[in-house]
Amino acid sequence: MKILLKIGIFLLINSIYAFATTKEDVTNLIEDGVKLCKEKGIDVCLSSFNDKKGDFVKGSLYIFAINYEGITLAHGGNPTIVGKNLYNIKSPDGTMIFQEFINIAKTKGEGWIDYKWSNPETKQNADKSSFIKNIGNNILIGSGFYK
C-alpha cells in the first residue's frame, strides 16, 4: 500500500510540473490573465500572478509581468525578483531578452519569441518559447515553456 501511495504522489508531482508543454497551454493561461486584468484591474491581477498557490501558477507554467522600463511587476515562478529591473539582462545566447519582450508588446501587441534560458529543473540552459502580450498601461505579461 505504501508503494502505491508513493507512486501516486510521484505521478501527481510530475503531472503538475509537466503542465506547460504546448503553445495552447501558454496562450490559454495568458488569455485568462488578460481577462482577470480587464475585469478586476491591474493591482488584483498582478497580485494573483505572484500567488504561487493561485490559478496562474501551474507547475512550471506561470505568468510574469514587466513594465516597459523593464521592472518586474509579477513573477509566478520567482516572486523574489518582483521590483527588479531586468531591462539589460541577456539570455545565455546573448539576446537582450527583456528588451525583445518589450519590443514585441509595443510594436505588435503580442507574439512568440524563442530564446535560451536557464531551466530551473535541470539547471541547464535550454530552448524556451514565450508568448508576450501587451495589457495596456505600458505593461506586458508573458508565459513560456521549455522545449
Side-chain angles (χ1 to χ4, degrees):
M1 185 61 127
K2 285 185 179 182
I3 292 173
L4 288 176
L5 181 60
K6 286 180 183 179
I7 291 171
I9 291 170
F10 173 79
L11 291 173
L12 175 64
I13 290 170
N14 283 327
S15 69
I16 289 169
Y17 283 101
F19 182 83
T21 57
T22 68
K23 286 186 170 187
E24 184 178 7
D25 294 333
V26 173
T27 55
N28 287 341
L29 186 68
I30 291 295
E31 292 308 320
D32 289 346
V34 168
K35 182 179 177 187
L36 179 68
C37 291
K38 286 180 179 176
E39 290 176 358
K40 302 291 184 178
I42 297 294
D43 291 339
V44 170
C45 71
L46 294 177
S47 178
S48 295
F49 299 159
N50 280 323
D51 182 358
K52 289 185 84 89
K53 296 180 182 178
D55 293 337
F56 294 96
V57 178
K58 300 178 181 188
S60 63
L61 182 64
Y62 56 85
I63 289 181
F64 57 85
I66 301 168
N67 71 18
Y68 287 0
E69 289 76 45
I71 307 292
T72 307
L73 304 176
H75 197 289
N78 184 5
T80 63
I81 66 170
V82 172
K84 295 198 181 345
N85 190 323
L86 306 177
Y87 190 80
N88 290 315
I89 301 294
K90 290 182 183 180
S91 67
D93 63 3
T95 303
M96 300 296 282
I97 193 62
F98 297 97
Q99 291 178 27
E100 292 294 327
F101 290 169
I102 293 165
N103 185 51
I104 289 169
K106 281 182 168 181
T107 62
K108 299 178 185 174
E110 65 182 49
W112 284 96
I113 184 168
D114 294 323
Y115 56 101
K116 292 231 183 260
W117 201 247
S118 178
N119 185 322
E121 291 180 24
T122 66
K123 309 293 188 231
Q124 301 291 316
N125 292 335
D127 292 327
K128 188 169 186 177
S129 188
S130 289
F131 184 68
I132 305 302
K133 187 163 181 106
N134 176 352
I135 61 167
N137 298 317
N138 294 323
I139 298 171
L140 66 86
I141 61 173
S143 186
F145 66 97
Y146 292 93
K147 297 179 179 185

